[in-house]
Amino acid sequence: MFKILLLVYMTLYVKAPSYVSGLLRAKPAGRYSLGSDSPDLLAVPRTMFKTLDDRAFAKAGPSLWNELPVDTRRAASVETFKSHLKTLLFRKAFGSLRF
């Protein structure tokens, strides 16, 4: 999870090859949005096979990214993002936080 989310962050905010950045798309604004949509959410593609396709970066990356808190997604630097992400993952692993 850490490596997938770090790759998504690097793709969105730093720089990534076109073959990786082509797998991520911004979530389109909803027609009946109530203002709760965050502008940095990603579109999660539909898949045909749950066991194999859901583990692909094109699906797993946006799914995990959209579950992160807004302050983590909008971290100012790579080091800040890593720090926030490690804290979240440790809390999730030891049961004090769910996301």
Side-chain angles (χ1 to χ4, degrees):
M1 288 173 64
F2 180 82
K3 288 184 178 185
I4 291 171
L5 288 167
L6 183 59
L7 183 58
V8 171
Y9 180 86
M10 298 292 282
T11 302
L12 295 175
Y13 294 114
V14 183
K15 187 168 177 143
S18 61
Y19 63 87
V20 176
S21 60
L23 297 173
L24 302 176
R25 288 181 289 122
K27 184 177 180 180
R31 184 173 176 186
Y32 300 105
S33 177
L34 298 175
S36 62
D37 288 341
S38 178
D40 55 354
L41 293 177
L42 298 174
V44 180
R46 289 187 168 187
T47 56
M48 294 186 75
F49 302 105
K50 184 152 185 71
T51 57
L52 183 61
D53 291 344
D54 286 353
R55 290 183 283 175
F57 176 74
K59 169 85 182 224
S63 296
L64 292 170
W65 182 259
N66 292 344
E67 292 176 5
L68 290 176
V70 175
D71 60 330
T72 303
R73 286 195 308 251
R74 294 181 182 169
S77 69
V78 176
E79 294 305 317
T80 305
F81 178 75
K82 284 182 183 180
S83 175
H84 283 244
L85 185 56
K86 285 180 186 179
T87 302
L88 286 172
L89 293 176
F90 276 117
R91 286 183 181 169
K92 183 179 179 187
F94 295 107
S96 63
L97 175 73
R98 292 184 183 175
F99 74 88

